[in-house]
């Protein structure tokens, strides 16, 4: 009930007012049956924009940190995410990927829509990053179609670190469903999982027009943070021990 209240009365109308979303390819979302909607992830707003414009209920796998915040704010955030149809997934440890797959398969077995971001995290610079193979494993095990989706303009509307989004028109574009029945029974093959994931990411790329980076977003973030830390260390050293001019 609260999900419907958010979608049609509280959050949905507000999001439509703020972002005036242009919707393309909505006919590719099946009216019945299980399917995966896999998209790029540019903004915190993505979690709510897509569910607001899809007629069917869609369940997303969300990082557990959204559900474990301290204090009243943390409890309110957790309640909000659960009411919005989000499932917490612990992304730490060796079993994190398998836990996410189990949760996703549970949604698909009920004949529902599952939303997932194959990059595994929000893009910190607006580029599209290498996808993780969990989405391929779920698609092959459940034998369901995957609908690629591109969020366009949400990075500019609410980039990382910005709490209140800008009023800006965005586009949500759905592509034709991808089906991978030719790989039935091969969900244990690493090469197959990578091939399926890369095909999906290529479809998302075609819809979004982003620059593609063939590395995981989390890896690139860590590399950039390490580089910034190293630069900061060098600047501190230079202030302590200024270089003497060469005579």
């Amino acid at each position: 009930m609260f999900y419907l209240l958010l979608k049609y009365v509280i959050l949905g109308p507000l999001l439509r007012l703020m972002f005036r979303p242009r919707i393309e390819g909505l006919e590719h979302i099946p009216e019945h049956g299980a399917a995966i909607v896999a998209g790029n992830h540019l903004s915190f707003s993505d979690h709510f924009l897509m569910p607001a414009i899809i007629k069917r209920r869609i369940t997303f796998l969300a990082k557990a940190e959204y559900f474990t915040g301290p204090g009243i704010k943390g409890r309110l955030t957790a309640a909000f995410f659960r009411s919005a149809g989000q499932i917490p997934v612990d992304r730490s440890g060796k079993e994190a990927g398998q836990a996410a797959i189990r949760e996703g398969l549970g949604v698909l077995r009920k004949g529902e829509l599952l939303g997932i971001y194959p990059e595994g995290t929000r893009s910190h610079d607006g580029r599209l990053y290498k996808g993780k193979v969990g989405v391929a494993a779920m698609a092959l095990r459940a034998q369901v179609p995957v609908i690629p989706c591109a969020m366009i303009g949400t990075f500019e509307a609410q980039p990382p670190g910005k709490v209140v989004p800008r009023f800006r028109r965005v586009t949500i574009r759905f592509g034709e469903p991808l089906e991978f029945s030719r790989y039935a029974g091969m969900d244990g093959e690493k090469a197959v999982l990578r091939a399926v994931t890369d095909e999906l990411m290529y479809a998302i790329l075609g819809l979004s027009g982003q620059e593609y980076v063939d590395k995981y977003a989390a890896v690139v973030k860590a590399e950039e943070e390490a580089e910034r830390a190293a630069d900061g260390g060098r600047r501190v050293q230079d202030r302590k021990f200024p270089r003497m001019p060469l005579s």
Side-chain angles (χ1 to χ4, degrees), residues 119-244:
E119 293 168 277
T121 186
R122 275 178 284 172
S123 173
H124 62 291
D125 57 10
R127 297 186 293 177
L128 182 69
Y129 286 88
K130 185 177 182 179
K132 297 188 175 183
V133 300
V135 61
M138 286 186 280
L140 297 186
R141 291 182 193 178
Q143 286 295 289
V144 297
V146 182
I147 297 95
C149 172
M151 309 295 289
I152 302 170
T154 56
F155 182 83
E156 291 76 13
Q158 191 182 20
K162 186 172 181 60
V163 177
V164 180
R166 302 183 182 98
F167 280 71
R168 179 188 175 94
R169 189 165 198 184
V170 304
T171 297
I172 305 175
R173 184 176 293 153
F174 299 96
E176 294 184 5
L178 304 174
E179 65 90 27
F180 301 102
S181 58
R182 62 191 182 278
Y183 295 121
M186 302 175 69
D187 56 274
E189 300 289 335
K190 291 183 179 179
V192 170
L193 294 178
R194 175 45 56 193
V196 169
T197 305
D198 288 346
E199 183 177 338
L200 168 62
M201 299 309 292
Y202 183 78
I204 295 173
L205 179 65
L207 294 170
S208 70
Q210 293 168 269
E211 178 185 345
Y212 180 72
V213 181
D214 192 27
K215 296 176 73 173
Y216 294 119
V219 172
V220 174
K221 285 182 183 179
E223 291 174 348
E224 292 181 358
E225 288 173 2
E227 185 176 345
R228 284 195 295 269
D231 287 343
R234 284 192 290 267
R235 286 195 293 270
V236 170
Q237 285 294 106
D238 289 344
R239 286 197 296 269
K240 288 183 176 179
F241 307 102
R243 297 179 182 180
M244 299 298 293

Side-chain angles (χ1 to χ4, degrees), residues 7-21:
K7 183 181 179 74
Y8 294 109
V9 179
I10 303 174
L11 197 57
L14 177 62
L15 291 173
R16 290 179 181 274
L17 176 65
M18 291 185 68
F19 298 110
R20 295 174 293 126

Side-chain angles (χ1 to χ4, degrees), residues 29-111:
I29 303 294
E31 295 183 1
H32 308 283
I36 298 173
V37 181
N40 58 345
H41 194 14
L42 296 170
S43 168
F44 184 77
S45 299
D46 296 342
H47 284 289
F48 310 107
L49 263 172
M50 191 196 299
I53 60 93
I54 292 179
K55 293 180 180 179
R56 293 179 60 186
R57 175 168 181 152
I58 181 169
T59 300
F60 275 88
L61 302 180
K63 62 181 181 180
E65 291 87 337
Y66 288 144
F67 300 81
T68 57
I72 295 176
K73 180 181 178 182
R75 289 195 292 272
L76 289 174
T77 301
F80 178 80
F81 269 84
R82 288 193 180 93
S83 300
Q86 314 282 323
I87 295 178
V89 174
D90 184 357
R91 301 185 299 174
S92 62
K94 295 181 179 179
E95 294 297 319
Q98 292 303 314
I101 290 173
R102 286 194 297 270
E103 293 287 355
L105 288 174
V107 173
L108 296 171
R109 289 192 190 101
K110 292 186 288 186

